[in-house]
Amino acid sequence: MTVRRNVSPWASAALVLTALLTASCAGEKSNAARPAASSPSAVPHGYVEGAQEAAEQQARLLLNDPDSGNTRILDLVTGKVHRTAQVKGAVRLGTDGRFGYLQAPGGTHVLDSGAWMVDHGDHVHYYSAATRDVGELPAGSRAQVRSDTAVTAVTDENGRTVLYDRSRLEKGEITSPQTLPGTYTGAVVPYEEHLLAFENKGGTTELVVLDRKSGRVASPDVTCEEPRGDAVTRRGVILGCVGGALLVRAQDGAFTAEEIPYGRDVPAQERATAFRHRVGSDTLTAPAGDDAVWVLDVAERTWKRVDTGPVVAANTAGEGSPLLVLENDGSVHGYDIATGKQTARTKSLLTEGKRAGAGGRSPVIEVDRSRAYVNDPEGKKVFEIDYNDGLRIARSFDLDVKPVLMAETGR
């Protein structure tokens, strides 16, 4: 692999791995790889056994070619590529910020990217460790996988859900799961030491809240018609419904649900059913049919429909950043969310041929706090875009595999 151009925020990060963390951690040791002290009280704040703590995000890209099965992990700090297990026939690649879940008809392969963060609310810790193949989950390509720091919930196409101990995944082990009673519609989402799920009752789909032992707790009295799509934000969990979305939050030990309606009639093909956003942001995006994008501002509880060209992928960093849309001309277009006007565009990044694939295999836009990444499968490239500088191409990575599936970890 060769790296073209430079000027990456991750290059400087590699030189300051032992720099001071945020003000909340000032004065505490950041060298997390040193041996643990004999007394628990002497263990440094943020210490994680076997990991290096860093002052900056340790971003990595998981990449897979379903046809060949070749899988790579691209370290965006060093530019190095790690080889990992072959996984053929993958339909989708999901991530919880650390682990990648390559879902194929015969099972789901779990990859430990070796990069993650821990959000303490007022400050964040970033970690890096060796990459690792964890193993297989008996869950096919139609299963829905959701995680938090404690559990990984896997819901199959029949609504049956099992929970895996995520702390064991961190040790490279897949243990016997706990099976939840009953069946559920859509994904079961871990949140605030509980599980959010939809249960069919008398022809309606009701939100239920479960504890980690599958016991029922008091749930908001709300229904959601045809639930599809979910996202965890700092302000709560967004769950997509026919009429808009539900915002579910935990407050003072109780769960509340607030409707965020579209405010208009939306045809089924234009519903928001798959949300994308920057981790930590409260601005979500979703295709609104073929030629537009929904932007959901969770803080303001508002939807905005931005008319674009034919949409292949969309995302945004939020907080005043542009809406990024990969259109079928192969270019990334930037739009001002407030006005809906196009503000910038790149050259065509995608090699002629396969631009908008089927079955979730279209190129994607991954966004972190300063850069966006677009995969060009046919060209065997990944492009790094500075979305705060007129969509400047900061770097391009030449690969030895087709990066058909891509997901970013370490954020």
Side-chain angles (χ1 to χ4, degrees):
M1 182 204 79
T2 60
V3 181
R4 298 179 180 174
R5 302 190 68 177
N6 45 28
V7 194
S8 166
W10 313 122
S12 60
L15 301 177
V16 293
L17 295 184
T18 57
L20 290 177
L21 296 177
T22 60
S24 296
C25 291
E28 298 175 294
K29 299 290 185 178
S30 64
N31 183 9
R34 72 181 187 178
S38 58
S39 169
S41 62
V43 174
H45 173 66
Y47 173 80
V48 175
E49 184 178 0
Q52 290 280 351
E53 188 172 357
E56 300 288 342
Q57 179 177 307
Q58 302 298 287
R60 294 176 180 176
L61 293 178
L62 307 182
L63 308 165
N64 173 264
D65 175 9
D67 291 336
S68 68
N70 290 326
T71 307
R72 302 287 186 266
I73 300 178
L74 170 60
D75 189 319
L76 293 168
V77 175
T78 65
K80 294 182 179 179
V81 174
H82 304 274
R83 292 174 177 264
T84 186
Q86 282 200 324
V87 182
K88 289 188 176 182
V91 172
R92 63 175 124 173
L93 168 59
T95 181
D96 57 17
R98 173 174 178 173
F99 294 95
Y101 301 94
L102 276 162
Q103 296 183 239
T108 295
H109 190 83
V110 183
L111 298 173
D112 185 349
S113 72
W116 70 96
M117 75 172 189
V118 177
D119 189 347
H120 286 175
D122 61 343
H123 65 282
V124 176
H125 294 269
Y126 299 104
Y127 298 98
S128 63
T131 62
R132 177 163 50 186
D133 289 300
V134 179
E136 298 284 332
L137 302 179
S141 56
R142 296 175 61 188
Q144 301 192 70
V145 183
R146 303 291 187 269
S147 290
D148 65 4
T149 57
V151 299
T152 295
V154 181
T155 306
D156 68 18
E157 61 269 28
N158 298 312
R160 292 187 293 267
T161 301
V162 296
L163 305 179
Y164 291 89
D165 184 340
R166 193 172 179 277
S167 68
R168 305 308 298 179
L169 295 182
E170 294 171 3
K171 298 180 183 298
E173 304 171 5
I174 296 177
T175 57
S176 297
Q178 171 194 348
T179 301
L180 296 185
T183 58
Y184 302 95
T185 300
V188 172
V189 181
Y191 173 64
E192 291 291 333
E193 300 181 5
H194 289 76
L195 304 165
L196 306 182
F198 287 108
E199 185 176 61
N200 284 319
K201 284 188 176 181
T204 62
T205 308
E206 296 184 1
L207 176 68
V208 295
V209 181
L210 311 174
D211 62 27
R212 293 299 165 83
K213 295 182 179 179
S214 74
R216 300 292 182 91
V217 302
S219 302
D221 184 18
V222 293
T223 61
C224 176
E225 187 178 353
E226 298 179 14
R228 287 185 63 191
D230 55 88
V232 179
T233 76
R234 285 182 180 268
R235 296 180 184 270
V237 179
I238 288 292
L239 303 167
C241 308
V242 164
L246 291 177
L247 171 60
V248 182
R249 295 184 290 171
Q251 295 180 311
D252 301 323
F255 287 84
T256 64
E258 180 180 352
E259 294 182 354
I260 308 178
Y262 289 120
R264 66 175 84 175
D265 291 331
V266 175
Q269 66 272 19
E270 295 181 8
R271 279 184 53 197
T273 59
F275 297 104
R276 305 277 295 179
H277 71 303
R278 176 181 63 80
V279 173
S281 169
D282 295 322
T283 305
L284 311 183
T285 67
D290 295 330
D291 300 303
V293 175
W294 286 113
V295 179
L296 173 57
D297 186 327
V298 180
E300 297 297 327
R301 314 292 200 269
T302 58
W303 292 90
K304 183 175 181 61
R305 188 179 188 274
V306 178
D307 293 319
T308 64
V311 178
V312 176
N315 210 331
T316 184
E319 300 175 359
S321 298
L323 168 65
L324 305 177
V325 183
L326 177 63
E327 301 184 15
N328 70 353
D329 62 1
S331 301
V332 174
H333 298 243
Y335 293 87
D336 182 284
I337 294 175
T339 65
K341 294 182 178 179
Q342 181 175 298
T343 58
R345 63 175 291 181
T346 68
K347 65 179 181 179
S348 180
L349 303 181
L350 301 186
T351 303
E352 293 294 336
K354 297 180 180 178
R355 288 181 173 172
R361 296 184 180 183
S362 297
V364 299
I365 302 175
E366 290 285 354
V367 176
D368 57 38
R369 61 183 178 81
S370 62
R371 294 289 191 265
Y373 298 91
V374 176
N375 52 323
D376 175 19
E378 294 302 306
K380 295 185 178 181
K381 293 179 184 293
V382 169
F383 293 93
E384 179 182 80
I385 299 171
D386 185 347
Y387 53 78
N388 290 316
D389 188 16
L391 306 187
R392 175 178 61 87
I393 306 300
R395 292 188 292 178
S396 66
F397 300 91
D398 292 335
L399 304 164
D400 66 341
V401 301
K402 291 183 177 181
V404 177
L405 301 177
M406 181 177 78
E408 185 177 1
T409 65
R411 31 171 212 162

